[in-house]
Amino acid sequence: MACWYGLTAQAQQGSRITGMVVDGTGEPVIGATVMQEGTSNGVVTDIDGKFVINVPAGSKLTISYIGFKTTSTSAADNMKVVLHDDSKQLNEVVVTGYTVQRKADLTGAISVVSVDDLAKQNENNPMKALQGRVPGMNISADGSPSGAATVRIRGVGTLNNNDPLYIIDGVPTKAGMHELNAADIESIQVLKDAASASIYGSRAANGVIIITTKKGKNGKVKVDVDASVAASMYAHKMDVLNAKQYGQVMWQAYVNDGLDPNTNGLGYHYNWGYNPAGYPVLNSISMSKYLDAAGTTPAADTDWFDETTRTGVIQNYNVAVSNGSERGSSYFSLGYYKNLGIIKTSDFERFSARMNTEYDVIKNVLTLGEHFTLNRTSEVQAPGGFLENVLQFNPSLPVYTTDGSYAGPVGGYPDRENPVARLHRNADNRYTYWRAFGDAYVNLHLFKGFNLRSTFGLDYAQKQQRFFTYPITEGNVATSTNAVEAKQEHWTKWMWNAVATYNFVKDQHRFDAMAGVELNREDDINFSGYKESYIILNPDYMWPSAGMGSAQAYGGGEGYSLVSYFGKANYTYADKYLASATVRYDGSSRFGKNNRYAMFPSFSLGWRISQEKFMKAKWIDDLKLRASWGQTGNQEISNIARYTIYESNYGVNESGGQSYGTSYDIAGTNGGQILSSGFKRNQIGNDDIKWETTTQTNLGLDYTLFDNSLYGSLDWYYKKTTNILVQMAGIAAMGEGSSQWINAGEMENKGVEFNFGYRKNTRWGLKYDITGNIGTYRNKITKLPATVAANGTFGGNGVKSVIGHPMGAQVGYVADGIFKSQDDIDNHAKQEGAALGRIRWKDLNGDNVITEADQDWIYNPVPDFTYGLNVYLQYKQFDFTMFWQGVQGVDVISDLKKETDIWAGLNIGFLNKGTRLLNAWSPTNPNSNIPALSLSDNNNEKRVSSYWVENGSYLKLRTIQLGYNVPENLAKKLYMQRLRFYVSAQNLLTIHASNFTGVDPENPNYGYPIPLNITFGLNVTF
């Protein structure tokens, strides 16, 4: 882009000098001041480091920039000035919304992420790789091959969509980042406070993540090749009962209940009796050779985890070609990524291509450019709840019957699908997803200091998938239905904006202003066709037109529009006092005419104390105080929230059963013709709903000390969201479909974020850089309608009002160990179901009876703090990276524990369980705190209670990598500029709380397992 940031009054008459300012690596320095010595005539370099200045012949120029040593040189046309580092941290330029700023001038809370560090994690999704690297940013994900992740910045700020806004090369989106190639990313900035994010007003309440992709650099053609192959395997595995252990546990449950274990219907036979003390003793277990009368299902000892999982393979290949000159630049890349997940048949594949170009059509006046990427992704996801299915399926059942077909439950075994057969039937449910994303822009530099840029952006995606239903004949599980649903979805999002900027510098004053307008439109459509009864059960044949049975069609479409006006002004005096103000005015079609528009202002101040004479100290390199206040908005609700909605529901129910449709025989013909259909109301409209508004205050400190060795920042923030949009259910007297969207909620978050770094070069050649961060926040809902606060939708389980507590907090009974003696039972409050080995509930209200009133807050989803630590070492040709990420003091609710600690934890009996049941309490195992085995749940131990709440704290070694750079002289002999080999491991080690009983505290239930990856790769530059 050629946008010249001018500064001062009319320059003296003289030569027109052009030039470029770069750092020691050849990268352009943006925002450097170029001054004619002894005058106030000067300019500021543009985003490509270029400048144009008029000076008398023979003049000298002084070039300065925060973080670099000032240099002076004689003016000459087409000059190139190299600035050398004076401070690593201050020389960064940050994209802050429609423009860029020097990091030294920032007054908002912005985190700049090292893209090089992210690349070492070999993650498909760059957002997933950010986990633990940005204080105040929480990322949750399982180990699915696609790498999809949930991102939260400074906690949960609304009862609706909490996803941040992504800005990629100036184009906004909220779609998945795993669909784009992370290798194309040049920089990532996270805007956390309102002062930095409010320029995006309407959608910035949950934070903004700005991503800039790569471009060509000046010089000869450069070719980068990156390739890696990884093996994935279980880092943590469920311990489930094998066939013998299952028999032992079932026997114990029978005898505990006083029943004969040989009456089981599963084919187990027990030889047992009583010891001299009168306790039951199991002597041996045997099984019938076949579990069914027909003799087709042999007894087995199947490890269903081994049968359904594999060693996964991840391949990642990227090639990029780039070039640049004074008149333009280009960057082209191709990428391929394939992840064969550790659950069999699950996989994710992506092909990607990118082209970024920029050209000076009229030198120093008119620039045209574009960023464009096309991606094709394809995925087979693991079936829903699959790992629970694997845990539950009995190990005594085989994979196949004697005739080679899939085995299934017989006799008394519960009706669950064979996991191997389920994977086989799911393998055809692949989706294909195309995404075209990019922008084209024109940049016009009309006169000194003034720049006008117009951008058109497009984010188009199309998804096609077929869902197959195949017949099942597996023991007692049988269905004859075969069908397919063919579905297509299309998302079209476009934006256009025009942004004008003006910059000048006079003496010690630096000022820049920006004003712009933006339009956004999104249209989404979907349609599908369903058909049953196919003669040939083959994906190539099973299209809806080939089916012979019942057919159904579905479809819908919706969209919204957004118009925005915005402006921003920044002022700096003597590189010491900083001020910034922003305003954005947004209008959204999601709101009614009464409150469609809203204004979101912000302002911030900065004081670089280190520039004051009284703070001059050798050990202080830079010290800056920041303060900001601002408002941002949220419109993430249904596109039709403001309307009264009626729908026709003809009521056809081809599967039988009662139909509650709107069709009615109003003519009284008693059949024989198509009935007229009426309409039913789904919701009541509200033209008065308005924007959610988040108001945030931020105080911060940035520091660089001890000759730039120690650096970091500290932030405190308080943010409050008002007018939260909630869907309020109507009372029965209002009739059907009486729910209505209203502004009624309030929520607050407050927290502290701290990050630090220490770097040094030793005299004997070791270079090291250690960085860390820690963040903590507290969340609570402060206002809701009483009925909404108490119904359990946002917390409280319908027992207590969630007001004053975090969103998602839960109420339940408090477990107080188990009854281990009759005295324990006799001395406890009256409790229905109390017995030896049963969980004891606390009598919280002291009335000596356990009732619903004995419930309290037992679960808080907000951690005490999160943290990360990165260690980088470099010695000669070797480099080493180690990154740790952790969460401390967070509660997790373990649904898994209901199947590892209680035989009757579910309403369906004889499912397989976890091995912890081998240590359940019994008279011969009196020290155990695991409830006694029983075929029935007379104590209602499945209830919501603190027994299922566990300490989910963990510390994980996310990445450890060792790299070797081939010596430059040897690489050149191979016609390469650079050749590097590396080996790395991800998720190699997990440290968790000693009392955590589950598999992985980060993924405590049945999410796709987070694998251990061992990666081998190389980086080549030609």
Side-chain angles (χ1 to χ4, degrees):
M1 182 177 71
C3 52
W4 310 135
Y5 298 128
L7 46 160
T8 77
Q10 182 69 34
Q12 302 176 29
Q13 293 294 320
S15 303
R16 184 174 185 271
I17 302 298
T18 62
M20 184 177 185
V21 180
V22 299
D23 63 15
T25 66
E27 294 292 313
V29 177
I30 308 170
T33 301
V34 181
M35 299 289 296
Q36 177 187 347
E37 280 193 358
T39 73
S40 60
N41 177 35
V43 294
V44 176
T45 57
D46 71 353
I47 198 168
D48 294 314
K50 298 177 182 178
F51 66 90
V52 177
I53 187 171
N54 292 320
V55 295
S59 297
K60 296 201 75 173
L61 299 179
T62 299
I63 299 93
S64 62
Y65 185 72
I66 296 296
F68 290 93
K69 296 176 181 178
T70 300
T71 186
S72 295
T73 186
S74 299
D77 198 23
N78 293 320
M79 62 191 299
K80 186 174 184 178
V81 180
V82 179
L83 294 182
H84 297 284
D85 288 357
D86 192 27
S87 167
K88 178 180 178 182
Q89 291 295 299
L90 297 179
N91 66 21
E92 296 181 66
V93 173
V94 178
V95 181
T96 57
Y98 303 103
T99 185
V100 296
Q101 278 185 272
R102 304 185 308 170
K103 189 170 184 181
D105 293 342
L106 293 179
T107 52
I110 299 177
S111 291
V112 180
V113 181
S114 169
V115 176
D116 290 339
D117 288 342
L118 300 189
K120 293 175 183 177
Q121 288 191 228
N122 293 99
E123 289 284 2
N124 172 39
N125 186 347
M127 296 303 105
K128 194 173 176 181
L130 285 175
Q131 190 175 26
R133 295 189 180 275
V134 178
M137 187 174 182
N138 296 319
I139 297 171
S140 57
D142 60 15
S144 61
S146 70
T150 300
V151 179
R152 297 290 178 261
I153 297 175
R154 291 188 166 178
V156 174
T158 177
L159 303 177
N160 300 300
N161 189 324
N162 282 274
D163 293 339
L165 177 67
Y166 300 96
I167 306 293
I168 305 176
D169 292 324
V171 180
T173 185
K174 287 206 168 190
M177 293 297 102
H178 63 284
E179 298 148 7
L180 305 178
N181 190 349
D184 292 330
I185 295 176
E186 178 75 26
S187 67
I188 299 177
Q189 281 81 231
V190 182
L191 314 186
K192 297 186 287 189
D193 70 329
S196 56
S198 64
I199 192 66
Y200 296 107
S202 61
R203 293 170 291 175
N206 300 319
V208 179
I209 299 174
I210 298 181
I211 298 173
T212 303
T213 59
K214 295 176 180 178
K215 58 187 292 186
K217 305 294 194 304
N218 282 355
K220 65 179 183 180
V221 176
K222 179 182 177 183
V223 180
D224 293 299
V225 178
D226 300 311
S228 67
V229 177
S232 298
M233 57 211 77
Y234 265 103
H236 314 278
K237 196 172 183 180
M238 293 183 187
D239 293 322
V240 299
L241 299 169
N242 62 29
K244 180 180 178 180
Q245 293 169 334
Y246 182 89
Q248 292 173 330
V249 169
M250 183 170 64
W251 172 82
Q252 188 70 60
Y254 267 91
V255 298
N256 284 351
D257 288 352
L259 301 174
D260 182 0
N262 283 314
T263 60
N264 75 84
L266 307 187
Y268 280 87
H269 305 290
Y270 300 101
N271 177 10
W272 68 289
Y274 292 91
N275 65 14
Y279 296 123
V281 177
L282 178 61
N283 299 317
S284 64
I285 305 174
S286 62
M287 291 197 71
S288 303
K289 182 177 181 180
Y290 293 99
L291 303 178
D292 62 335
T296 61
T297 306
D301 186 10
T302 306
D303 186 330
W304 290 103
F305 278 96
D306 282 350
E307 295 292 340
T308 57
T309 59
R310 64 189 174 190
T311 298
V313 177
I314 303 173
Q315 301 175 72
N316 192 13
Y317 309 105
N318 294 286
V319 178
V321 181
S322 60
N323 189 22
S325 66
E326 292 184 358
R327 294 300 300 270
S329 65
S330 63
Y331 173 88
F332 174 73
S333 74
L334 293 173
Y336 176 75
Y337 178 89
K338 180 68 175 287
N339 187 337
L340 298 174
I342 61 175
I343 294 179
K344 289 180 179 178
T345 75
S346 67
D347 67 66
F348 177 84
E349 183 178 50
R350 183 188 63 224
F351 297 88
S352 63
R354 173 171 287 278
M355 173 64 83
N356 293 348
T357 59
E358 180 179 87
Y359 295 101
D360 283 354
V361 179
I362 303 176
K363 190 175 181 181
N364 303 328
V365 177
L366 179 64
T367 303
L368 300 179
E370 55 80 29
H371 310 88
F372 180 75
T373 181
L374 180 65
N375 299 268
R376 178 193 182 273
T377 59
S378 177
E379 182 180 15
V380 174
Q381 299 173 323
F386 181 71
L387 287 186
E388 185 175 21
N389 179 202
V390 172
L391 181 153
Q392 292 177 349
F393 207 72
N394 201 288
S396 306
L397 293 168
V399 179
Y400 302 102
T401 63
T402 55
D403 63 6
S405 60
Y406 287 115
V410 293
Y413 286 90
D415 57 344
R416 287 291 187 272
E417 289 185 54
N418 181 322
V420 175
R422 194 175 176 205
L423 284 181
H424 176 74
R425 288 188 288 269
N426 181 72
D428 293 327
N429 293 333
R430 176 178 298 277
Y431 75 74
T432 302
Y433 183 95
W434 287 88
R435 187 176 182 191
F437 188 99
D439 67 277
Y441 59 90
V442 55
N443 200 90
L444 189 62
H445 173 59
L446 293 176
F447 54 86
K448 186 177 182 179
F450 180 80
N451 199 74
L452 180 64
R453 178 174 174 134
S454 180
T455 303
F456 178 83
L458 176 68
D459 183 4
Y460 172 77
Q462 180 266 334
K463 182 179 180 182
Q464 183 273 326
Q465 185 172 20
R466 281 183 293 165
F467 300 92
F468 294 89
T469 302
Y470 291 115
I472 301 175
T473 305
E474 298 162 12
N476 300 331
V477 178
T479 175
S480 61
T481 303
N482 72 76
V484 69
E485 179 187 2
K487 186 174 183 179
Q488 279 212 6
E489 299 171 90
H490 299 261
W491 300 268
T492 304
K493 308 164 192 173
W494 63 263
M495 58 78 65
W496 169 82
N497 65 38
V499 181
T501 59
Y502 181 69
N503 308 266
F504 74 88
V505 172
K506 181 176 178 59
D507 299 328
Q508 299 188 79
H509 303 275
R510 182 193 299 269
F511 174 81
D512 64 83
M514 175 189 66
V517 60
E518 183 169 289
L519 305 177
N520 284 270
R521 176 67 192 177
E522 178 174 344
D523 290 287
D524 307 332
I525 62 173
N526 66 85
F527 48 86
S528 63
Y530 173 88
K531 198 73 171 287
E532 294 180 351
S533 300
Y534 292 84
I535 294 177
I536 301 173
L537 300 181
N538 184 295
D540 292 335
Y541 177 80
M542 294 178 69
W543 291 92
S545 60
M548 299 181 298
S550 60
Q552 298 178 39
Y554 313 92
E558 59 182 50
Y560 76 95
S561 300
L562 188 70
V563 59
S564 308
Y565 307 91
F566 49 88
K568 184 174 184 178
N570 299 309
Y571 172 73
T572 302
Y573 176 71
D575 282 332
K576 185 188 305 182
Y577 307 113
L578 317 168
S580 180
T582 303
V583 65
R584 181 160 178 139
Y585 187 65
D586 283 307
S588 172
S589 64
R590 286 176 171 169
F591 300 109
K593 57 185 178 181
N594 299 336
N595 293 294
R596 184 159 293 165
Y597 290 87
M599 184 174 292
F600 303 100
S602 74
F603 63 85
S604 57
L605 300 172
W607 179 23
R608 296 188 64 218
I609 312 172
S610 54
Q611 298 297 100
E612 300 287 359
K613 292 182 179 179
F614 63 82
M615 281 297 290
K616 292 296 182 182
K618 290 184 177 180
W619 59 277
I620 299 177
D621 302 301
D622 190 71
L623 196 64
K624 178 173 65 178
L625 278 175
R626 296 178 279 104
S628 68
W629 176 93
Q631 292 183 325
T632 48
N634 187 14
Q635 54 140 16
E636 292 302 315
I637 57 171
S638 167
N639 291 324
I640 56 175
R642 67 185 177 95
Y643 297 101
T644 298
I645 301 299
Y646 293 89
E647 74 167 3
S648 61
N649 180 10
Y650 194 75
V652 175
N653 193 332
E654 298 188 8
S655 300
Q658 180 65 50
S659 171
Y660 295 94
T662 55
S663 59
Y664 186 72
D665 187 8
I666 195 168
T669 60
N670 196 27
Q673 66 178 35
I674 296 177
L675 301 180
S676 300
S677 179
F679 293 84
K680 69 183 184 70
R681 187 177 65 187
N682 280 356
Q683 75 177 29
I684 297 176
N686 185 359
D687 266 339
D688 292 322
I689 56 174
K690 56 187 176 182
W691 296 84
E692 294 182 6
T693 301
T694 297
T695 303
Q696 186 170 178
T697 301
N698 193 99
L699 300 176
L701 173 70
D702 299 328
Y703 61 91
T704 306
L705 311 172
F706 304 113
D707 195 23
N708 303 311
S709 294
L710 182 64
Y711 57 94
S713 65
L714 174 68
D715 281 272
W716 171 89
Y717 66 89
Y718 173 81
K719 70 176 185 177
K720 183 170 185 177
T721 304
T722 57
N723 293 318
I724 293 178
L725 289 151
V726 296
Q727 194 167 21
M728 182 77 172
I731 60 175
M734 297 173 67
E736 185 180 34
S738 58
S739 63
Q740 184 182 46
W741 284 91
I742 62 172
N743 295 92
E746 293 185 3
M747 178 185 291
E748 70 175 36
N749 287 276
K750 53 186 175 183
V752 176
E753 301 161 357
F754 175 65
N755 67 71
F756 64 90
Y758 186 79
R759 56 176 174 258
K760 206 74 174 177
N761 295 339
T762 66
R763 286 178 293 179
W764 44 278
L766 176 66
K767 177 180 180 182
Y768 63 90
D769 193 348
I770 300 172
T771 58
N773 70 82
I774 185 170
T776 180
Y777 76 96
R778 296 295 177 264
N779 164 269
K780 66 179 178 180
I781 296 173
T782 57
K783 182 181 178 182
L784 273 177
T787 54
V788 176
N791 67 13
T793 302
F794 303 110
N797 301 79
V799 178
K800 293 188 177 185
S801 169
V802 74
I803 292 177
H805 297 273
M807 180 178 172
Q810 294 200 20
V811 171
Y813 294 85
V814 178
D816 188 26
I818 61 176
F819 294 110
K820 296 185 177 182
S821 68
Q822 189 59 44
D823 285 344
D824 286 349
I825 299 173
D826 295 340
N827 294 324
H828 184 59
K830 182 180 178 181
Q831 176 179 318
E832 185 178 351
L836 290 177
R838 303 271 54 88
I839 297 176
R840 178 174 56 202
W841 312 116
K842 274 192 176 183
D843 180 19
L844 297 180
N845 63 1
D847 65 355
N848 211 35
V849 181
I850 302 300
T851 65
E852 290 185 358
D854 294 304
Q855 298 183 74
D856 206 350
W857 296 96
I858 59 171
Y859 168 76
N860 183 349
V862 179
D864 290 342
F865 58 88
T866 59
Y867 58 101
L869 178 68
N870 191 76
V871 177
Y872 175 75
L873 308 175
Q874 182 179 331
Y875 181 71
K876 295 185 178 179
Q877 307 304 123
F878 292 92
D879 59 83
F880 174 80
T881 298
M882 179 172 60
F883 176 60
W884 296 82
Q885 179 263 330
V887 176
Q888 183 63 36
V890 65
D891 292 338
V892 296
I893 295 180
S894 178
D895 293 328
L896 173 64
K897 198 174 182 181
K898 292 181 180 179
E899 302 191 47
T900 63
D901 282 34
I902 296 182
W903 181 264
L906 297 176
N907 293 326
I908 299 175
F910 303 110
L911 300 170
N912 198 18
K913 305 293 179 182
T915 56
R916 279 173 53 85
L917 285 180
L918 294 168
N919 190 40
W921 185 93
S922 70
T924 57
N925 187 29
N927 294 322
S928 173
N929 290 310
I930 299 173
L933 293 161
S934 175
L935 298 176
S936 57
D937 186 18
N938 295 327
N939 195 37
N940 189 19
E941 289 170 349
K942 294 188 293 289
R943 71 181 75 184
V944 178
S945 76
S946 61
Y947 189 84
W948 314 118
V949 180
E950 299 201 307
N951 183 353
S953 303
Y954 67 83
L955 173 62
K956 289 196 174 189
L957 180 54
R958 286 293 180 194
T959 298
I960 184 168
Q961 184 181 104
L962 177 65
Y964 176 74
N965 288 276
V966 173
E968 187 176 347
N969 59 347
L970 179 57
K972 287 183 177 179
K973 291 180 181 179
L974 300 172
Y975 303 99
M976 301 175 184
Q977 294 182 34
R978 176 181 182 242
L979 175 61
R980 176 178 179 267
F981 299 94
Y982 66 88
V983 59
S984 66
Q986 291 78 41
N987 303 309
L988 184 62
L989 176 65
T990 298
I991 302 171
H992 58 68
S994 59
N995 58 355
F996 177 73
T997 66
V999 178
D1000 182 356
E1002 182 186 7
N1003 188 21
N1005 292 305
Y1006 300 109
Y1008 200 106
I1010 299 174
L1012 161 64
N1013 295 337
I1014 306 296
T1015 305
F1016 300 89
L1018 60 85
N1019 312 117
V1020 183
T1021 300
F1022 295 95

